[in-house]
């Protein structure tokens, strides 16, 4: 597939196997959808005033949609290597546009075959997105058990975290590995008898029993 074709797709914000008219959905009867080739979809990029702009979600330049890279390797329809949360984001955008704009058809390629039927790639993407949603919900439930630190920041004084009850610690978020491929941390307030558990970190330059720390 040529670079010029991808540029046309990016100009139309065409990220996917679903194509939509780029205006809010009117109240109208359902119309039969059509199947597009990449070349056909790229015509609806806004350069021809006689044609509407079509927006696609979940294909074409999907990787660019989550990475922000609309050049070179970013303009690809593969979601391979993206995290669960990134794939979840793409699928959620597709669902948003299904509800908001007029659906006009499907793009034949990685996610739909020549009959317009879902391929294994679409099913895998939806399964990964569902797994991401489950992990996010699990993370939310677990983190609700431990209160977050209070925090503030100003240009003159910088940042500060503190606890009204307990001591501030950086706690690892292990589910982030499965969600994003990276380990992150959050500031939590722990009581004295909770400070010995693994995965905790005292803020640099902060006393072990301080209730407030500069960050």
């Amino acid at each position: 597939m040529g670079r010029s074709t991808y540029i046309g797709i990016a100009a139309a914000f065409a990220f996917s196997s679903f194509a939509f008219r780029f205006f809010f959905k009117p109240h109208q009867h359902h119309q039969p959808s059509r199947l597009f080739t990449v070349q056909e979809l790229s015509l609806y990029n806004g350069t021809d005033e006689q044609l509407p702009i079509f927006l696609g979600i979940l294909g074409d330049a999907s990787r660019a949609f989550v990475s922000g890279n609309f050049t070179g390797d970013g303009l690809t329809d593969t979601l391979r290597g993206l995290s669960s949360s990134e794939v979840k984001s793409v699928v959620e955008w597709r669902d948003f546009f299904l509800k908001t704009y007029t659906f006009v058809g499907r793009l034949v390629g990685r996610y739909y075959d020549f009959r317009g039927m879902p391929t294994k790639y679409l099913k895998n993407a939806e399964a990964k997105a569902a797994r991401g949603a489950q992990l996010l919900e699990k993370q939310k439930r677990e983190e609700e058990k431990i209160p977050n630190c209070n925090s503030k920041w100003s240009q003159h004084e910088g940042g500060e975290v503190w606890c009204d009850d307990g001591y501030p610690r950086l706690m690892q978020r292990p589910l982030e590995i499965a969600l994003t491929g990276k380990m992150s941390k959050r500031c939590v307030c722990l009581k004295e008898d909770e400070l010995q558990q693994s995965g905790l970190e005292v803020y640099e330059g902060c006393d072990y029993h301080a209730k407030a720390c500069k960050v």
Side-chain angles (χ1 to χ4, degrees), residues 117-137:
M117 300 299 294
T119 67
K120 65 178 182 180
Y121 297 103
L122 179 59
K123 296 175 182 177
N124 289 342
E126 290 177 333
K128 190 169 186 177
R131 175 60 174 163
Q134 293 172 352
L135 289 171
L136 280 173
E137 181 60 29

Side-chain angles (χ1 to χ4, degrees), residues 5-201:
T5 300
Y6 277 138
I7 292 176
I9 296 170
F13 301 101
F15 309 119
S16 126
S17 296
F18 274 122
F20 307 88
R21 285 183 181 274
F22 199 61
F23 50 71
F24 286 108
K25 181 186 295 184
H27 296 289
Q28 61 181 25
H29 296 294
H30 174 74
Q31 296 180 350
S33 62
R34 61 176 282 193
L35 298 178
F36 292 85
T37 64
V38 171
Q39 289 74 20
E40 288 171 335
L41 182 60
S42 66
L43 297 176
Y44 297 87
N45 64 4
T47 58
D48 187 339
E49 295 182 356
Q50 303 302 313
L51 297 176
I53 296 176
F54 284 177
L55 171 69
I57 303 295
L58 228 177
D60 290 354
S62 290
R63 197 174 201 86
F65 183 63
V66 295
S67 69
N69 178 14
F70 282 87
T71 62
D73 295 339
L75 295 176
T76 176
D77 63 355
T78 179
L79 301 180
R80 183 177 181 181
L82 294 183
S83 67
S84 296
S85 61
E86 289 172 326
V87 175
K88 176 177 175 290
S89 177
V90 175
V91 171
E92 287 177 341
W93 273 112
R94 179 200 64 180
D95 295 343
F96 166 78
F97 280 105
L98 276 172
K99 296 176 182 178
T100 309
Y101 295 92
T102 302
F103 170 71
V104 295
R106 296 185 173 99
L107 176 65
V108 175
R110 184 181 299 273
Y111 299 99
Y112 287 92
D113 63 23
F114 68 95
R115 296 169 298 177
M117 300 299 294
T119 67
K120 65 178 182 180
Y121 297 103
L122 179 59
K123 296 175 182 177
N124 289 342
E126 290 177 333
K128 190 169 186 177
R131 175 60 174 163
Q134 293 172 352
L135 289 171
L136 280 173
E137 181 60 29
K138 182 179 180 181
Q139 180 172 271
K140 179 181 178 182
R141 291 196 303 268
E142 291 183 355
E143 293 185 352
E144 285 176 345
K145 300 175 184 177
I146 305 176
N148 292 318
C149 302
N150 301 302
S151 64
K152 65 180 180 180
W153 181 91
S154 69
Q155 186 173 358
H156 297 295
E157 298 182 3
E160 183 180 19
V161 295
W162 74 95
C163 295
D164 296 324
D165 182 18
Y167 307 96
R169 290 292 187 273
L170 282 169
M171 174 178 278
Q172 293 179 351
R173 306 173 76 193
L175 287 178
E176 283 293 294
I177 292 292
L179 281 166
T180 67
K182 302 176 182 178
M183 176 64 78
S184 67
K185 302 174 184 178
R186 70 181 181 114
C187 184
V188 298
C189 293
L190 300 176
K191 298 183 182 302
E192 177 76 32
D193 60 359
E194 298 174 318
L195 297 179
Q196 300 303 318
Q197 60 184 293
S198 62
L200 299 180
E201 180 181 333

